[in-house]
Structures are given as C-alpha cells and as structure tokens.
Amino acid sequence: AQSVAQPEDQVNVAEGNPLTVKCTYSVSGNPYLFWYVQYPNRGLQFLLKYITGDNLVKGSYGFEAEFNKSQTSFHLKKPSALVSDSALYFCAVRDSGNTPLVFGKGTRLSVIA
Amino acid sequence: GAVVSQHPSWVICKSGTSVKIECRSLDFQATTMFWYRQFPKQSLMLMATSNEGSKATYEQGVEKDKFLINHASLTLSTLTVTSAHPEDSSFYICSARTGGEQYFGPGTRLTVT
C-alpha cells in the first residue's frame, strides 16, 4: 500500500525567502507524485506532478519539486515566497495502476511579510 | 477543461435527516469517481471509490449503509449521508478521474445540528 509522510505540520518563512515543504513517500512500483494547495474552505488546486522524466518538475505559481528516488522524496520548493502562498499544502502519491491518490497529512505554510 | 463541480457547496441539516451531495464532471466523462472526507486541519481520507454502473468500494471503517454512493452516469456521482449525526459534520470532497489524472471538486461543507 502506498503512503505519504509530510513531517512538518507548519512551515514559517519570511516573504522573499526560499521555501521548502517536505514530502517522502512509499509505493510499490513507480510512483506518481503530486502536490496540491488548499485555501480555507476551498477544494484542492493542482500545483504539479511527477510521472516520469526530468527529476525537477515545474508547476503553477512558480512552485517546483524535485523527485529523488534514492531518498523517496518529493519536496516542494519556491525560490521566493509570497504572502499569498500561505495555505495548506498536500503531497499525494499513487502507483502506476488505477489506485486512488493517497494524501499526506498536509503542511500549513505561513509566509510572513 | 477537466472541471468537477459539487452541489451544494455547504449544507446545514438536523440530526436524523439525510443529505445528498452531487458530484459532476462538467466537461469529461469519468468512469471512476472518489469521495474523500476532510476533518478540520487534517488530511483527506478516502471514503470510497465509485465506478459507473457498479457498486462502490468502501475503505475500511467507512459504513456503507450510512454513506450511500451512487454513480448512475459517467458524469454524476452522489453521496447520501443517511440519518446524519453531528459527528458526520465534515468537509466532503469528490474527485473524478480521466486520462489517469484525478480532478477535484470544490468540496461540500456539511454541518449537522
């Protein structure tokens, strides 16, 4: 069975500084990895995904993530944080079959002006 | 493209009544839809997988008689919370799959008084 770990409940970063939100995964076979963002009382917004190919994936709103197979990690990054990036971020994984996405517990990002 | 809608976006009901939540894929057909539940400040927990024309597959611990799922067409799945109780209050999010991707609805906030 697949699983996702987001070790940080909360990440605080100053506006303009780089940010990293950590994610590690466990899956049998090749992983399909995703990042989503959720604003209060809203659904999930897709940020980016890794299926295959280049380990560095670029997504929406300037976010990127790096797939590291040896460390089974898929950390979300952004070079310069904005206050508007403050939200709840979810990492998700599934295997290459038709299984549904499994989500991490989420990391709350707070960007301080 | 790939828009998923949910109706209603929020609902308040009295304890003991039933509530139906609709999930529609607006511009694509989805043979598979998923229902997730999210408690405050927690992750999304998969409740069930529904396939068009067949019975839903429920995750362990989810009461199938309480959470009735019907996937009557390729664009519509419904979740009915029967005999709702305050502990059923939650944020319910549906997801529809097409082309190997999952797309999420905006969620339905259910409050049972």
Side-chain angles (χ1 to χ4, degrees):
Chain A
Q2 45 262 42
S3 65
V4 175
Q6 290 181 245
E8 304 152 317
D9 291 335
Q10 174 94 29
V11 170
N12 298 318
V13 63
E15 186 176 31
N17 283 2
L19 69 87
T20 298
V21 182
K22 296 180 180 178
C23 170
T24 58
Y25 67 90
S26 174
V27 67
S28 54
N30 294 322
Y32 287 29
L33 294 154
F34 300 78
W35 275 101
Y36 291 87
V37 60
Q38 186 181 37
Y39 293 96
N41 293 311
R42 302 288 293 276
L44 300 180
Q45 294 182 30
F46 170 80
L47 282 179
L48 51 80
K49 67 180 178 182
Y50 171 85
I51 304 296
T52 185
D54 194 350
N55 289 344
L56 184 62
V57 179
K58 293 187 182 297
S60 306
Y61 313 118
F63 283 93
E64 58 188 31
E66 186 165 13
F67 170 64
N68 187 316
K69 187 174 182 178
S70 63
Q71 297 184 4
T72 61
S73 67
F74 190 57
H75 301 330
L76 181 70
K77 300 182 179 184
K78 186 173 183 180
S80 179
L82 300 172
V83 172
S84 58
D85 292 331
S86 299
L88 189 57
Y89 290 81
F90 290 101
C91 181
V93 68
R94 69 174 178 89
D95 61 24
S96 55
N98 287 326
T99 55
L101 283 174
V102 172
F103 287 84
K105 65 178 181 177
T107 298
R108 186 164 300 281
L109 173 67
S110 180
V111 181
I112 304 164
Chain B
V3 178
V4 177
S5 70
Q6 279 183 244
H7 178 80
S9 55
W10 60 272
V11 58
I12 301 173
C13 70
K14 292 186 177 180
S15 186
T17 62
S18 295
V19 174
K20 180 185 285 188
I21 302 170
E22 292 186 348
C23 175
R24 293 181 184 274
S25 56
L26 297 185
D27 49 4
F28 65 98
Q29 293 182 328
T31 54
T32 304
M33 289 186 174
F34 306 95
W35 286 95
Y36 291 83
R37 181 175 180 178
Q38 185 181 27
F39 291 100
K41 299 184 179 180
Q42 295 191 30
S43 187
L44 283 76
M45 301 302 296
L46 180 67
M47 299 175 65
T49 301
S50 81
N51 293 295
E52 187 265 338
S54 63
K55 291 184 178 180
T57 302
Y58 290 81
E59 295 299 302
Q60 190 173 8
V62 178
E63 298 177 59
K64 60 181 67 177
D65 294 331
K66 180 165 191 63
F67 298 101
L68 300 178
I69 291 172
N70 183 275
H71 195 158
S73 77
L74 290 172
T75 59
L76 173 64
S77 176
T78 60
L79 167 67
T80 301
V81 183
T82 62
S83 187
H85 290 283
E87 57 265 30
D88 298 325
S89 298
S90 193
F91 195 53
Y92 294 87
I93 301 176
C94 76
S95 176
R97 182 164 64 196
T98 182
E101 299 282 350
Q102 273 185 243
Y103 298 90
F104 290 84
T108 296
R109 169 79 55 197
L110 170 63
T111 301
V112 184
T113 61

